[in-house]
Amino acid sequence: LSGNDKMAELVDKDKQREYNEKKQNGNHSESIFSYSICFINMINILPKSKVIPFVCVLFAFGGIIMFSAALTQTMASMRFNDIALTTEGTVIEMIERRSNNSDGGISLAFSPVISYTTPEGERHTYYSNSASYPPQYRVGETLAIRYNPKNPQNAEIDGEGKVMTRRQWIAIGMG
């Protein structure tokens, strides 16, 4: 083995030993650290001249997957907008959602639950995934609901689906 290969082998063994110690001590959780060990092991088995092309292909493949997912989601949203009908709905409840902040605090947001009736007289309830603080809506407030006439349970508040979501922009950016 050359000097560089011996050094890579020592670093690899040292990282593997550190990983095993953390695992045995019980303070190891599946994290970026454990995945980075796996990635380093994959790179170390490749000849040095093939590492950069391998990493480039890996990132290109990931970008293609992210772009494809964003495109699929965007196309589904466009199809929904083409067939959706609009009706009036009433906010019947505001659901409180709590989540933990990175600084240990708690974030609070509210999502509306909306009741609406189709022209055929079918009554449905829509639980919005959008949450805000302060609450964007009040119980008893009326607003426009868009729904799929073939599947009235598939609905959204008018205006929610017209703006690309943060996930879609991130996926397109990573693609």
Side-chain angles (χ1 to χ4, degrees):
L1 293 174
S2 72
N4 287 340
D5 290 338
K6 286 180 184 177
M7 182 61 125
E9 189 175 314
L10 288 173
V11 168
D12 188 39
K13 285 181 181 177
D14 192 38
K15 291 218 181 268
Q16 189 65 43
R17 185 174 23 81
E18 185 178 339
Y19 170 80
N20 289 336
E21 285 174 6
K22 283 187 175 187
K23 195 171 184 180
Q24 286 174 350
N25 292 338
N27 50 351
H28 170 75
S29 62
E30 289 299 320
S31 64
I32 292 175
F33 177 76
S34 61
Y35 295 112
S36 65
I37 293 294
C38 180
F39 188 70
I40 289 169
N41 288 338
M42 284 179 7
I43 289 178
N44 283 340
I45 63 172
L46 292 172
K48 296 299 176 203
S49 63
K50 300 206 184 217
V51 170
I52 291 176
F54 172 74
V55 172
C56 290
V57 167
L58 187 67
F59 277 96
F61 184 68
I64 289 169
I65 290 172
M66 296 296 287
F67 181 76
S68 298
L71 185 61
T72 301
Q73 186 176 8
T74 301
M75 295 299 290
S77 179
M78 290 172 65
R79 278 191 301 273
F80 177 81
N81 287 334
D82 287 343
I83 64 167
L85 298 178
T86 304
T87 189
E88 193 172 271
T90 303
V91 178
I92 57 172
E93 181 183 358
M94 293 298 292
I95 296 177
E96 183 179 292
R97 297 183 183 207
R98 294 175 182 258
S99 61
N100 296 327
N101 291 340
S102 58
D103 63 357
I106 294 176
S107 290
L108 183 63
F110 296 90
S111 297
V113 177
I114 301 153
S115 176
Y116 61 99
T117 305
T118 64
E120 291 79 27
E122 298 174 18
R123 189 168 197 78
H124 298 280
T125 303
Y126 170 66
Y127 294 84
S128 177
N129 290 325
S130 297
S132 64
Y133 185 84
Q136 187 174 355
Y137 306 102
R138 290 186 306 270
V139 173
E141 185 176 347
T142 59
L143 44 99
I145 293 287
R146 293 169 43 84
Y147 68 94
N148 181 338
K150 294 180 181 176
N151 180 11
Q153 288 297 108
N154 183 5
E156 66 182 28
I157 297 171
D158 191 25
E160 275 185 338
K162 293 182 181 173
V163 179
M164 292 184 87
T165 64
R166 187 179 321 157
R167 278 185 300 213
Q168 287 172 313
W169 281 114
I170 290 170
I172 288 172
M174 292 179 78

